Amino acid sequence: MDGLNASEQRELQSRLEKKQMKEFMTMYSNLVQTCFDGCVNDFTTKSLNSKEGGCVMRCVDKHMKGAERLGQRFQEQNAAMMQSGQMPGR
């Protein structure tokens, strides 16, 4: 962001925040769809039965742990590249 004036920096920051929010909402939507499709199959009641509820909890937990692990790996790779003098994304 060096070399940008204050207005350009605010615009860039705003665009980055919007992009991050869009990516988060996409990830959340995919998680909901995946867990719903894999776990919910009885539509005769308003609420989830215990089997469906447990399945949804395990599904969400599995995806959250996977996303956390992916984030950790990304940070490790980024740190290793910075240490070796490589620029991320190049």
Side-chain angles (χ1 to χ4, degrees), residues 14-76:
S14 175
R15 287 181 185 211
L16 287 172
E17 288 171 1
K18 287 177 185 176
K19 182 176 175 157
Q20 286 176 331
M21 180 56 79
K22 184 177 179 182
E23 289 173 356
F24 171 78
M25 293 305 293
T26 299
M27 182 188 77
Y28 178 78
S29 178
N30 289 338
L31 169 67
V32 168
Q33 190 67 49
T34 298
C35 293
F36 181 86
D37 288 346
C39 296
V40 180
N41 45 28
D42 179 10
F43 298 98
T44 59
T45 63
K46 292 191 296 185
S47 59
L48 300 174
N49 62 39
S50 61
K51 183 179 176 184
E52 291 170 333
C55 178
V56 168
M57 293 302 287
R58 285 188 303 278
C59 179
V60 169
D61 186 54
K62 182 177 181 177
H63 280 83
M64 295 302 288
K65 286 179 179 176
E68 181 181 355
R69 184 72 174 137
L70 183 63
Q72 288 172 346
R73 283 292 188 205
F74 178 76
Q75 288 178 342
E76 291 168 6

